[in-house]
Amino acid sequence: MQIIRCLTLAVIAALATGCSSFTRESGQTLPRDASWGVAPLVNYAQTPQAGERAEQILISILAEEGVRPLMYPQPPRQDLLLQDDRERQIQALDWARQQRLAYVITGSVEEWQYKNGLDGEPAVGLSLQVLEPATGRVVWSSSGARAGWSRESLAGAAQKVLRELVGNLDFE
């Protein structure tokens, strides 16, 4: 009976961790009270405006860690669907240099969708980098992906991925 319990717990643990994948980099410790900014996340997913959605969730996750970054301002009267995300990211790094920000968080959205099929599980894939705008040097990077359960929302799956990624940052 004890063996069946142990095997059942092992299978459950394998299934729970099998739905997520993360890379971790042990980077330098970064000051929480430095001047931080968030640059646009490049959207490589097929879902329109997935980068902007992920940015909004990222801001709230950073607030949980005590980091209050400046957000790159959206130019007035421009349709986000028509803008090139890479160009916005380059402009945001120029903006960060002008603002004399110590660090900027940027990255990309690789996947942001509900999978096809009866259950329609949410699937999220994200990469984040912390850059020094003055030098352009990447001081930290990490990526993660997760397929949620059928009744989980896409935003909920994204929160879990972003919380794990930001949790890997070493703040002092």
Side-chain angles (χ1 to χ4, degrees):
M1 188 65 153
Q2 188 72 347
I3 293 173
I4 293 173
R5 269 193 195 149
C6 290
L7 286 174
T8 303
L9 287 174
V11 168
I12 290 171
L15 287 174
T17 58
C19 299
S20 299
S21 175
F22 291 89
T23 62
R24 287 176 176 72
E25 175 188 339
S26 56
Q28 66 187 48
T29 302
L30 301 169
R32 189 181 317 269
D33 59 349
S35 56
W36 287 82
V38 172
L41 300 180
V42 176
N43 183 14
Y44 294 121
Q46 294 177 351
T47 305
Q49 297 184 314
E52 288 80 8
R53 295 174 190 178
E55 289 166 27
Q56 294 304 314
I57 296 170
L58 176 60
I59 293 291
S60 65
I61 301 291
L62 288 169
E64 289 176 357
E65 295 289 333
V67 176
R68 306 274 185 210
L70 289 176
M71 191 89 175
Y72 175 64
Q74 177 60 35
R77 294 191 218 123
Q78 287 195 353
D79 188 354
L80 288 175
L81 293 174
L82 300 177
Q83 290 183 336
D84 180 284
D85 286 342
R86 280 300 278 164
E87 185 60 34
R88 284 182 56 228
Q89 196 176 49
I90 291 168
Q91 292 170 355
L93 291 175
D94 289 339
W95 166 81
R97 284 183 202 98
Q98 293 169 359
Q99 298 294 316
R100 299 192 193 292
L101 298 177
Y103 302 103
V104 171
I105 299 178
T106 189
S108 60
V109 178
E110 285 78 33
E111 187 173 16
W112 189 280
Q113 68 178 349
Y114 286 100
K115 290 184 174 182
N116 292 333
L118 293 175
D119 292 337
E121 299 100 354
V124 176
L126 299 160
S127 296
L128 294 180
Q129 296 88 38
V130 174
L131 306 172
E132 289 177 338
T135 63
R137 185 173 72 101
V138 176
V139 296
W140 176 89
S141 68
S142 187
S143 62
R146 182 174 197 286
W149 301 102
S150 63
R151 297 190 182 241
E152 186 176 8
S153 71
L154 192 52
Q159 278 183 339
K160 289 178 181 175
V161 171
L162 285 167
R163 192 167 278 123
E164 177 85 18
L165 294 177
V166 171
N168 291 333
L169 274 165
D170 291 326
F171 290 112
E172 60 180 27

